[in-house]
Amino acid sequence: MSIKISLIVPVYNCEKYLEKCLESVMKQDLAGIEVIIINDGSEDNSLEIVEGYKSRFENIYIINQENKGQGAARNLGIKIAKGEYIGFIDADDYIDYNMMSSMYYKAISNDYDIVTCGTKIVNEDGNIIKEISIVDSGQLNSEEAILSIIKGKNTFAVWNKIFKRKLFIENNIFFKEGCYYEDIYVIIKAFSCAKSIYNFKESFYYYVQHDKSTTKQKKVKYYNDLLMEVARTKEYINDKYPKNKLINISFENIQTLFLLQFISELNFNINIENILKQKLRDKEEIIIFGSSQGGRIVKRYIEESGFSVVAFCDNNPDLWGKEINNIPIINCDNLADDKYKSYRIIIASMYFVDIYNQLEQCNIEDRIINFSLIEELNIL
């Protein structure tokens, strides 16, 4: 029997969750799946659990290696996989029994290079915290699919997707080893190389959110790796899509929000004031589009740097007329009022693309400040 899908499962010290993960994998209703488990130097009972499953199922293959990290484990899986398609599952997550059949048969129906699905974020008891449904469902080309991810309508992760294996091999797509956030670059490169992509609206993948405390040292590692991967991906996007302004600036601005949230959480001693003075005019007053966490973080740094925020703008009508620290929340129509039409706008929202298009339709996109700080924040 030919192998339809190779499922790659990196395993490292996850004995608490591993059985639920493997049960969901082995109950898939698609024949022709090989399961490649990379034991990444586990020090708990993970290997014993995996070997127990291997004794019951002939399509499980175990590779043991010293601890090299998830990126290295995934790369090894890609190299030895025999399937027409490959998929990735984190060992503490699980999937619906029909995920692989649904995605595989859709993939071969129109020779799609990539098929994706929605994700349910659940707690350790299986209760749904949030569902990331694929709003831009159906068939997309590479640029449409990349914009969908940047817009937050899909994830920067590999685990809710299947890919043609030859897409990775022929385009030399592998994960950066020894770092976090290695999915970001891989996803953008894979999507840019794909000829056709299909997005399922349905959610087949369950991402388990854990209540784990993280040391500041580890968070600094997260920040540095995120910054490195964002910068690397930004360079790739600039080279691949030099004429697509929206892909470029939306990716840069959204990732800047992530970086500022890290800086705020960790209280890094970074001179944001000097950075902002390169972006803003002397004593400039700003409107921030987005009044949630990202907008409030941007407000904090703007005000600490000696600039002023005159208003928040938001598309949520329940917030119009309310205030945040005596700063009014207005709607998009107000931006053309005499009171506000002279102020420039910073988009501080994960929905950057939609807001940018909205302002463009109102003929005020020339007031948008490109708030990318990726290069400037690369100082740790």
Side-chain angles (χ1 to χ4, degrees), residues 1-6 32-34 61 81-85 104:
M1 179 185 297
S2 63
I3 298 174
K4 300 180 177 73
I5 299 180
S6 299
I33 296 177
E34 69 169 358
Y61 303 91
K82 298 185 179 74
E84 180 184 1
Y85 285 82
Y104 177 75

Side-chain angles (χ1 to χ4, degrees), residues 175-211:
F175 295 88
K176 187 174 181 64
E177 300 186 5
C179 77
Y180 299 104
Y181 300 104
E182 70 273 19
D183 288 24
I184 296 175
Y185 179 86
V186 165
I187 286 296
I188 294 297
K189 185 172 181 180
F191 274 57
S192 72
C193 294
K195 294 178 181 177
S196 60
I197 297 144
Y198 187 89
N199 285 344
F200 266 106
K201 184 177 181 180
E202 294 82 1
S203 298
F204 299 127
Y205 193 94
Y206 293 81
Y207 175 88
V208 181
Q209 191 171 91
H210 306 291
D211 296 324

Side-chain angles (χ1 to χ4, degrees), residues 78-269:
I78 294 168
K79 292 172 183 176
I80 65 176
K82 298 185 179 74
E84 180 184 1
Y85 285 82
I86 56 175
F88 304 89
I89 300 177
D90 288 354
D92 50 354
D93 299 334
Y94 54 97
I95 57 179
D96 274 339
Y97 74 95
N98 62 338
M99 177 176 175
M100 292 300 123
S101 62
S102 299
M103 298 180 76
Y104 177 75
Y105 286 121
K106 176 56 69 175
I108 64 172
S109 71
N110 200 33
D111 196 30
Y112 292 113
D113 291 320
I114 302 172
V115 176
T116 86
C117 70
T119 302
K120 292 177 182 177
I121 300 175
V122 299
N123 61 21
E124 294 185 7
D125 295 325
N127 299 316
I128 298 174
I129 301 171
K130 179 182 178 181
E131 183 169 4
I132 305 175
S133 298
I134 308 297
V135 178
D136 297 329
S137 57
Q139 181 173 332
L140 289 80
N141 63 34
S142 61
E143 292 191 27
E144 291 170 338
I146 288 172
L147 271 175
S148 179
I149 292 174
I150 293 173
K151 288 160 68 175
K153 296 179 179 179
N154 204 329
T155 69
F156 275 103
V158 295
W159 28 250
N160 65 327
K161 305 166 178 70
I162 63 170
F163 309 82
K164 278 187 179 177
R165 180 177 178 270
K166 70 177 184 179
L167 181 72
F168 276 61
I169 300 302
E170 292 177 357
N171 295 286
N172 195 32
I173 301 173
F174 291 98
F175 295 88
K176 187 174 181 64
E177 300 186 5
C179 77
Y180 299 104
Y181 300 104
E182 70 273 19
D183 288 24
I184 296 175
Y185 179 86
V186 165
I187 286 296
I188 294 297
K189 185 172 181 180
F191 274 57
S192 72
C193 294
K195 294 178 181 177
S196 60
I197 297 144
Y198 187 89
N199 285 344
F200 266 106
K201 184 177 181 180
E202 294 82 1
S203 298
F204 299 127
Y205 193 94
Y206 293 81
Y207 175 88
V208 181
Q209 191 171 91
H210 306 291
D211 296 324
K212 290 183 178 179
S213 59
T214 305
T215 64
K216 182 169 182 178
Q217 182 180 12
K218 194 168 186 178
K219 287 182 179 178
V220 171
K221 166 71 171 167
Y222 285 162
Y223 175 87
N224 284 327
D225 287 351
L226 174 61
L227 189 61
M228 176 177 60
E229 287 303 283
V230 164
R232 189 163 73 108
T233 306
K234 174 180 176 291
E235 181 179 1
Y236 178 83
I237 289 174
N238 288 341
D239 291 340
K240 186 73 175 180
Y241 303 108
K243 296 181 180 180
N244 194 320
K245 177 183 176 183
L246 191 53
I247 285 181
N248 279 275
I249 66 171
S250 57
F251 177 80
E252 294 171 10
N253 281 263
I254 288 172
Q255 297 306 325
T256 291
L257 283 183
F258 281 125
L259 296 170
L260 287 177
Q261 288 178 23
F262 262 103
I263 292 170
S264 176
E265 181 181 351
L266 298 177
N267 295 314
F268 285 150
N269 185 23

